[in-house]
Amino acid sequence: MAAVTRLLKPSRFSCSAATVSLRRWLSTTAVSETEPHVKTPLYPGGSPPLRADPEGRNVQWVFLGCPGVGKGTYASRLSSLLGVPHIATGDLVREALSSDGPLSRQLTEIVNQGKLVSDEIIINLLSKRLETGEAKGESGFILDGFPRTIRQAEILDEVTDIDLVINLKLPESVLLEKCLGRRICSECGKNFNVASINFKSENGRPGISMAPLPPPPQCVSNLITRSDDTEAVVKERLRVYNEQSQPLEEFYRLQGKLLEFDLPGGIPESWPKLLEALNLDEHEEKRSAAA
Ligand SMILES: [Zn+2]
């Protein structure tokens, strides 16, 4: 735990709350400082551990991927398949923003100034969320949007074991077209996508097709495009993401936990392939048979 304190120390923010809750989180997990740190089997070279812990805890996975790749969708589907919570830090921040209290005021100020929410605040929100979940009997998790930096990944490693990191990938040309096709209904707030993606195979790379997600007739006349879904902004977003995420991918690659997954298309093509890559295809068959 000394490492967590050390990592958190140089910050301007008061870190005691985060440290205390992380410490509490540590004490409630099977791993303690005095016991030898039993790492879960590394993924490449074997199948990913569906039940990683001999005491039967559920999976503890992280999802990485560019904005627009659809990681929220896949993380949420896997979380219902495996019965673990899908914890998206973006949702935690939004919830905290809409709640009452000093944290909400602090966050509003940060967001209004266009600044990034600090590691301390994110970790604080995350540890609170994990504690609440554990009190309700939750086991395992799929994290989406965290960690974003190596420092966050190191802090996470101090408090819990991550079994597997799934990096979802799409070619940049596809991501760009997908983002430019996004539409929101100004009446009901639902998201749609008008892009019909059809890239032919090229230089040994397989082709990729993604069907649009068209709006129902009542929404058609209300469709709007987000102001930040322009080509220049999307390209800049992808550039910033790639710059930040490469060291993080390398961090997990060195730990042998990174599973690179090239999405072969939209959800209908990608979902079965993803389950196959995770050795979960039988898991879903059993579940649908039982349902
Ligand atoms: Zn609508």
Side-chain angles (χ1 to χ4, degrees):
M1 209 55 198
V4 176
T5 318
R6 195 186 61 231
L7 283 164
L8 289 170
K9 225 167 205 162
S11 155
R12 290 179 287 117
F13 288 93
S14 154
C15 308
S16 56
T19 314
V20 166
S21 41
L22 283 172
R23 199 169 274 151
R24 216 176 301 146
W25 168 241
L26 178 69
S27 69
T28 52
T29 61
V31 183
S32 86
E33 280 173 283
T34 45
E35 281 169 47
H37 205 65
V38 184
K39 283 282 172 193
T40 47
L42 302 182
Y43 169 64
S47 31
L50 186 57
R51 292 284 179 274
D53 189 279
E55 288 169 31
R57 77 152 165 78
N58 220 319
V59 301
Q60 301 191 160
W61 289 354
V62 165
F63 259 78
L64 299 181
C66 278
V69 82
K71 64 180 187 304
T73 307
Y74 294 101
S76 146
R77 283 184 161 226
L78 278 174
S79 83
S80 31
L81 179 68
L82 297 170
V84 298
H86 166 210
I87 303 177
T89 36
D91 292 345
L92 296 182
V93 171
R94 271 188 292 275
E95 275 165 34
L97 266 170
S98 62
S99 70
D100 248 352
L103 180 61
S104 165
R105 281 193 292 276
Q106 196 185 355
L107 277 172
T108 310
E109 207 171 296
I110 293 168
V111 172
N112 284 346
Q113 291 174 354
K115 288 185 187 157
L116 281 178
V117 181
S118 70
D119 286 352
E120 284 67 36
I121 292 180
I122 299 285
I123 287 162
N124 204 345
L125 290 172
L126 181 65
S127 31
K128 274 191 196 140
R129 171 61 188 82
L130 290 171
E131 275 176 33
T132 316
E134 191 156 20
K136 287 190 292 189
E138 280 178 3
S139 164
F141 50 77
I142 294 178
L143 297 183
D144 166 2
F146 187 92
R148 275 236 161 108
T149 59
I150 289 191
R151 181 164 173 265
Q152 291 183 350
E154 284 169 345
I155 295 171
L156 193 61
D157 270 358
E158 291 292 331
V159 294
T160 191
D161 281 324
I162 296 303
D163 310 323
L164 182 68
V165 177
I166 302 159
N167 190 24
L168 294 183
K169 288 155 76 174
L170 275 173
E172 185 161 326
S173 47
V174 174
L175 279 168
L176 184 62
E177 224 171 285
K178 219 175 147 238
C179 287
L180 297 181
R182 288 205 285 211
R183 298 291 181 274
I184 304 169
C185 172
S186 58
E187 287 299 310
C188 66
K190 286 202 177 113
N191 292 287
F192 304 101
N193 204 309
V194 297
S196 182
I197 291 164
N198 209 336
F199 284 86
K200 295 204 170 65
S201 64
E202 208 175 68
N203 307 327
R205 203 168 65 190
I208 192 164
S209 302
M210 291 167 102
L213 179 66
Q218 69 270 23
C219 296
V220 172
S221 58
N222 307 319
L223 293 189
I224 48 170
T225 307
R226 274 171 33 168
S227 58
D228 56 349
D229 276 347
T230 63
E231 183 162 342
V233 176
V234 172
K235 277 189 170 158
E236 176 61 10
R237 210 151 64 203
L238 293 175
R239 191 194 62 77
V240 170
Y241 176 83
N242 286 330
E243 201 178 277
Q244 279 187 345
S245 70
Q246 266 157 20
L248 189 60
E249 287 166 21
E250 191 54 25
F251 177 87
Y252 284 122
R253 191 175 291 120
L254 287 172
Q255 291 190 356
K257 292 179 181 170
L258 191 72
L259 173 69
E260 306 267 20
F261 187 80
D262 289 300
L263 292 164
I267 297 171
E269 302 83 31
S270 301
W271 177 241
K273 291 267 187 251
L274 180 62
L275 291 181
E276 217 175 284
L278 293 167
N279 275 352
L280 289 173
D281 34 352
E282 277 182 36
H283 192 75
E284 185 173 65
E285 277 162 30
K286 264 184 228 151
R287 211 178 79 124
S288 8

